[in-house]
Structure formats: structure tokens, C-alpha cells
Amino acid sequence: MNPTTAKEPPVAHALHRWEAETRTLHYDYGGFPLMSMYIPEGVVPYYRQYSNGNLQSHPFIQQLYLALDKPASVKISFHLSEDALNMRPHRASKGQAILGQVGRPLLEGVNGLYDLLQDLLIDWHGTEWKWTNSSLKSDDAGRWHAELEVQGGLTPWIVNLRMHYYRTHLHYRHHQPWEWRPNLQPISGWSSWEAFAQGVSAEDIERTTAFLEAHFKDYGMEYVQIDDGYQSEVIPPDGEGKIADAWLYTNERFPNGHEEIAGEFRNRGFKAGIWTSAMVTNREFAELHRDHFEKDSNGDPLYGPWIFYVLKGNPEALAEHVAPFYQALREQGYEYFKTDQIRHYLFDGLHNAVNDGLITSEEASNQLREYLRCAREAIGDDSYFLVCWGVLTEAVGLVDACRIAGDSNASWTAVCKQMVESARWFHTQRILYLNDPDYVCVRTDEAWGRSLLSLVSLSGGLLMLSDKTELYDQSRIHAIQRCFPSLSTVTGETGPLDATYPLDLSLPQAPQGTIDEAFARALLGLDPDSRDPHPTASLWSIHFDTPSRRWCVAGRFAVVPLEEAKLELQALALAPNDEYHAFDFWKQRYIGKITKSIRLEALELGHCQIVGLYKAEDRPQLIGSSRHVSMDAVSVQDERWENHSLLLELRGVLGTTEHYWIAVPSSYKHEEHWATGLEIAIANCESTDDGNLLKLSVRFDQERGEAAIRFSTESDYLS
């Protein structure tokens, strides 16, 4: 596991203190400074001095306010822990993009901060305000700080503090980030399930991993996972044997056992992953070990759909039947573990015992949690742990990833559901764990696959392909390479789960490629005549904040057919009066310089438009890339402007060529260029309203290199 050094924050008031010498109102929480308000001379502040603002006892909310006797600008500083984010304190509402972030940007109009290690949400309302910096700043101790200016006056500026926010307000009661954090690394890989199902063989794995190595490994594919089909059909195979036998002794399609499977993965340079299940299907075994299984009202081993016989989640049963196979698989070299049927174990298994009055609901939840704890301890702190399927509060604080959607496949119903559930559960992304929308089936309609790849990569979801690789034509290979690896995106918004549209609909399936519009709208619970330009899950805004660059990628996804739309930049959490260069990724096309709003094209069902938005600088700047859908959080390691030269540090796949677009104001002229470790060429590809666009083509003779493009100005010629 990943223990932290933080202490549990109190469910208690932030306490105020007035510092007359500096005219500063301070609020301290948990023994540390939390917020400081600097009041100008000649202004009388009004604030809650005696009542500490307890609005609600459980879950706990404290409200603070500041009013002034006359209009004045007040500087506010927030002092946060070693892990904190700017976060909108509600889910995307009508017309707003779903917000994500890579880095720690401070976003236009996003009126909240989430202190992750304290599980504290801070939000503010009431008067105009603006950030004074573009990013959260870190001090020498690694603690984060943010600063804003409030236009104060008689109208109060209101601050709400929600202590233990995810734990009590959103009811994830096992979320205790001061004790443990999951492994939140990006995950990109391939699984055997949708490709071969239970018929998978050693020959399938050997052939597939060779293809994956050749086409995707250098682009960021890291894991290959064997799914259902390597184990014995009956669990365990012998009533007098052990459950571990089902998982440790492979079937006839894998005659050389796990050494053959995990060894093939590792020999190709991948980390080895494996699927197991909480099922026990052998009735004889359950009868012989009756004390370790839940019983029904007749005293027989309890039976439930999908889970079959329900193993008890107590220390004795888990130590004898569960820990051994997890430990042994770890010793075989597996580093990525997917445990399936946990929802069925709880709701179709243990809760059947609750229905019969044999155990309580609390005992059922505790048994599931102990099952997961046993697995976690057996695979070790350094293994990756994914549970499947369904978001369960019992899994929080024990697992690294959780599958948020039902089973995937190549149909539009499944693809749409994956995109919609990625939106529904985005408030948990890298707060509780990594979200897994299930396998991405790129063999589907090409446009649908490109959309799903783009969304999962940009939103930072667990990105695991699952197709027979012979179904990948060159266009699909190219799309996968543009979306690998998945990103480290964290949610930029929070709030209660939106349950106002369906998780799934069992509607008649139209033939592949002939989904009609009414069907598509019904999947989202929409009126057939609805023409909402941005329905649920269709609009995303991912903000990137690196030491050398800052930009936004807007994604529009046609979960239903979308008409052409004018989108206000504020909906993307961008400053409406700033100018931005806009670049369409999949069309590799410069849209132009925009302000206040952007015109988005009409999209057919399942299609997408991905647009990079870069605040326009009064100098040449990078505004587009062919390498990655993020444009470009993957290949651009650094961008600097020094001595009239644009300097780029780039990382790419050896032997490949990528393209980068540079916007050049009319006051600059390209003079020369050079590179180390790279072969570069520059072409003047088009004129813009106030300059021109250069296309930099880079061949990676080495994996890393530097390119330099020198420019001159009119003043250089005059001098």
C-alpha cells in the first residue's frame, strides 16, 4: 500500500484570529494555517467572530463570511497540504464542460479548492473574484498555496468549509487519504478477454504480444493481461483440492503453465497482468468446507447468481483459500491483478445471507472489504490492484483502480455507455482511485473507436485494449498510437453522483452501423426531439499545466448526433477576453485565433472533435502536435523562448517522424533552425490573420533531442 505521513484531520471548526499589526484575518484548521485575508487600511471588516459558522452537524459544514463597510479589494491566501487541487464544487451543469487537469492549474471561474490529504473542500460565493496566479504554488515544505483577490463590500463574500468531504458528504466512508493513497500512475495495455474470451491459448498470446511489441510498446503500452480462459473450468477442479489449484494450474491450452504466460509478457518488455474471480463453482468443495462458506436458511452452502458458492470473508477462510493463490501468482511474476465478480460476491452472495437474516448488511460489507484486504496484502504494496465490476465504497482505500462501467464490446450501446459512465464517475478520478471504463474495443466503427480512445486517454482512464490484433488496420493502429499512453488527469470537479440518466437500457439492438437517432437519444434518457448542443458526457475541457507550458484541450463527443454550435470560452474554464490559438488534432488543422467563443462543427453519431487551445503570446509559440491527442503532454518535454529562439526539448519513438505547428506573429520572421539528436525540417504552411504558421517536421534519430528555431524582428533589420 501507499501510506502517507499525514494525520487525521478533525471534524471541527477552523478558528479565526485577528492580527492587528498586519490587518490580517487568519483561519487555522487542524493546528495549521488555512486561510488569510489581508484587509486594506481605512476599511472596516465584518466577519463571524463568535459563532464559528456550523451550518450542519453531520456531514459537517462550516460557513465563513467577510463583508466590508466600503468597496475594496481584498487579497486572500489559502494554505494547503502536500496534495491539493483547484476544483469546481459541483458537477458540470448545462452548457459547462466536464473539467479535468494535468498539473496544478488555477482555472478561470473555478471557485473551489480541494485539500486531498485533509479531505477538505473549500468553496466560495457572493462577490466577484479572480486568481492572482495561474497555478498553485509549492513552498519549501512541499505544501501548496493559492491566492485570489475578492472585490469586497457590503455584500458578503461567503466561504464554505466541508470537512471530510468525500468521506461523509459523498459517503465514501473508507476514504482516509491521510492513511493511504492508491497507485495513481497512468495505465495503458492490452487484455485477452474481448479478443479471445475463454478460448484464449498460448499461441494467441505469443502472436498477439509480438504484434503489441512491434506497434505499441514504444508508444507507451506497459501492461499485457491474461483474462478468463487460462484456468480450470471448475473452481476448484477437485472437490478435495484447494481453490488455488484453479488459478495456479493452467488448462490444456497453456501446457507450460504461468511461466509460459507471464514469461512471454516479460520477455516482450511488458509487465504481466492476470484476471481472477471471487467465484467458487464446485459444490462438492463447498460441502467439504462448510464452515468456510455462508449457508442458506436450510443450512446448505449459500448459492448466488454469477458467484455460485459464497466464501466467508473471515480471517480463517481467507487465509486458507484466497491468500495462497494471490501470493503464488505474485511469485510467478504477475504485477497487475484484476479481481472480478466482487459486486456479485457482495450483492448476489453475501446479501442473500442478509435477506435470510443470517448476517447483517454491515457484516456483509465488512466481509467484502476483508476479502479485498486479504488480496491486497497477498499481492504486495508494489502490485497494481484493479477490482471489477461496479463502484463499491468497500473498495475505497484498498484498491488502485475500479471498473466504473459494465461489460464492453464493439457495439454502439457499449461504447456510448463507456463514455457516459466516464462522465458520471469523473468526480472519483484519482481522488478515490483510477477509473476503469472497461476494455476499449478499437475493432468497432472507426470513428467510434477514435472517440473512445481520445476520451479515455484525455480523461486519464485505465486504457486497456482488447481486440484480436489482426483486426487493426493501419488507420486503427495510427489512432491507438496517437492516444497512448493514457494521461495522469485528475478530476477538476466534484459533487454528488448524477443519477438523472440511465446506466443502461435494454433496448432492441439495431444492426451494426445503423443506430438511429431516437435510439441514441434514448440511451441518454433524452427526448427524441431534444437538440441540446452539449448533452451529458459530450463536452470536456482538460487543462494542462507544466513547468514550461500551459494549454487546454477541449473535447466534443457525439454521444448523440450534434449540430454545429457556438461555445463560450467560459464553459471551458478559459478567460473569455483572452485570445487563443485553436488547433484541431484529428484533422491536423489550424482553426485560427479566437476570443470569447469558438465555433464547433456538427458531428455524426460517435464522432469527435479534439481542439487544442493555447493562450496567444506576442512571440512564436508551439500550438499543435501530431504525436498525442493531448497536443502534447507526451513528446514535448520543455518549451523555452530565449534570445529570439524557440527551444524545444522533444521525446519520441525512434525512427518515426512527428509534426509540430508554430504560430508566428507578423512581427517575427523565421531565420534559421538546428537540432541535436533530431532531423528537422520547417515549412511555411499557411498565413494567419496576424502572421503565419510554421510546420516543424521532426525525425527522431534518437529518443530524445532538442530543436531550435531562431527568429528575427523588424528592429533587428533596422539595427
Side-chain angles (χ1 to χ4, degrees), residues 488-502:
S488 58
T489 312
V490 185
T491 181
E493 62 182 49
T494 189
L497 183 68
D498 185 355
T500 61
Y501 52 93

Side-chain angles (χ1 to χ4, degrees), residues 219 457 477-484 585-586 626-630 657-658:
Y219 285 87
S457 181
I477 291 171
H478 178 80
I480 293 167
Q481 291 171 340
R482 299 309 106 183
C483 294
F484 267 38
F585 176 75
W586 287 114
S626 67
R627 164 60 187 96
H628 193 268
V629 70
S630 62
T657 298
E658 300 292 353

Side-chain angles (χ1 to χ4, degrees), residues 16 144 210:
H16 75 271
W144 294 96

Side-chain angles (χ1 to χ4, degrees), residues 290-295 310-314 317-318 345 367:
R290 295 173 66 89
D291 290 345
H292 287 165
F293 284 83
E294 293 291 348
K295 301 179 183 63
V310 185
L311 187 71
K312 288 183 177 180
N314 62 35
L318 295 172
Y345 178 60
Q367 287 196 49

Side-chain angles (χ1 to χ4, degrees), residues 630-698:
S630 62
M631 290 184 287
D632 181 308
V634 172
S635 71
V636 179
Q637 306 294 293
D638 189 32
E639 176 188 7
R640 302 189 308 279
W641 176 252
E642 295 179 1
N643 301 322
H644 282 199
S645 294
L646 184 65
L647 307 176
L648 299 174
E649 182 181 334
L650 303 173
R651 179 180 181 180
V653 176
L654 194 65
T656 63
T657 298
E658 300 292 353
H659 307 292
Y660 302 86
W661 284 264
I662 300 165
V664 182
S666 58
S667 56
Y668 286 87
K669 180 181 178 182
H670 169 230
E671 289 289 340
E672 58 180 334
H673 55 269
W674 63 94
T676 58
L678 310 169
E679 183 182 323
I680 65 173
I682 288 184
N684 190 349
C685 60
E686 66 179 278
S687 297
T688 64
D689 291 341
D690 60 352
N692 67 310
L693 197 66
L694 297 181
K695 182 179 181 180
L696 172 66
S697 298
V698 179

Side-chain angles (χ1 to χ4, degrees), residues 533-551:
H534 299 110
T536 296
S538 66
L539 185 63
W540 294 71
S541 180
I542 310 299
H543 291 257
F544 296 84
D545 183 30
T546 73
S548 62
R549 303 173 64 221
R550 180 175 175 138
W551 73 103

Side-chain angles (χ1 to χ4, degrees), residues 408-645:
S408 69
N409 54 62
S411 71
W412 171 249
T413 304
V415 171
C416 180
K417 182 167 60 177
Q418 287 176 277
M419 293 195 285
V420 169
E421 292 310 294
S422 292
R424 191 198 301 263
W425 291 101
F426 196 58
H427 67 296
T428 67
Q429 176 71 314
R430 286 192 167 85
I431 302 297
L432 303 181
Y433 33 59
L434 187 67
N435 289 354
D436 171 25
D438 203 19
Y439 304 131
V440 175
C441 299
V442 188
R443 67 183 186 275
T444 188
D445 177 275
E446 186 175 341
W448 303 352
R450 186 166 57 239
S451 292
L452 185 56
L453 282 167
S454 300
L455 178 57
V456 177
S457 181
L458 285 170
S459 64
L462 192 147
L463 178 49
M464 294 288 280
L465 307 179
S466 191
D467 303 288
K468 292 181 179 179
T469 52
E470 54 263 35
L471 299 176
Y472 290 162
D473 56 19
Q474 192 54 47
S475 181
R476 285 174 170 81
I477 291 171
H478 178 80
I480 293 167
Q481 291 171 340
R482 299 309 106 183
C483 294
F484 267 38
S486 186
L487 301 175
S488 58
T489 312
V490 185
T491 181
E493 62 182 49
T494 189
L497 183 68
D498 185 355
T500 61
Y501 52 93
L503 171 67
D504 196 1
L505 282 180
S506 298
L507 295 176
Q509 291 289 333
Q512 181 80 356
T514 63
I515 304 294
D516 65 27
E517 193 166 333
F519 178 88
R521 294 183 185 280
L523 281 172
L524 292 177
L526 297 174
D527 185 283
D529 297 323
S530 171
R531 288 297 179 268
D532 185 346
H534 299 110
T536 296
S538 66
L539 185 63
W540 294 71
S541 180
I542 310 299
H543 291 257
F544 296 84
D545 183 30
T546 73
S548 62
R549 303 173 64 221
R550 180 175 175 138
W551 73 103
C552 168
V553 174
R556 191 173 189 236
F557 300 89
V559 290
V560 295
L562 298 176
E563 298 176 353
E564 182 181 0
K566 178 182 176 182
L567 179 67
E568 302 297 322
L569 294 183
Q570 282 180 307
L572 302 172
L574 292 173
N577 295 320
D578 288 341
E579 289 187 311
Y580 296 89
H581 292 289
F583 191 89
D584 187 306
F585 176 75
W586 287 114
K587 291 187 175 180
Q588 300 283 273
R589 178 176 64 88
Y590 181 61
I591 295 174
K593 189 184 285 188
I594 62 169
T595 187
K596 290 188 170 48
S597 64
I598 182 172
R599 180 68 62 178
L600 297 175
E601 63 189 29
L603 295 173
E604 297 176 20
L605 179 71
H607 288 236
C608 70
Q609 184 180 16
I610 308 297
V611 179
L613 295 159
Y614 306 79
K615 185 177 178 181
E617 305 281 354
D618 188 23
R619 62 163 178 82
Q621 66 183 115
L622 183 67
I623 58 96
S625 162
S626 67
R627 164 60 187 96
H628 193 268
V629 70
S630 62
M631 290 184 287
D632 181 308
V634 172
S635 71
V636 179
Q637 306 294 293
D638 189 32
E639 176 188 7
R640 302 189 308 279
W641 176 252
E642 295 179 1
N643 301 322
H644 282 199
S645 294

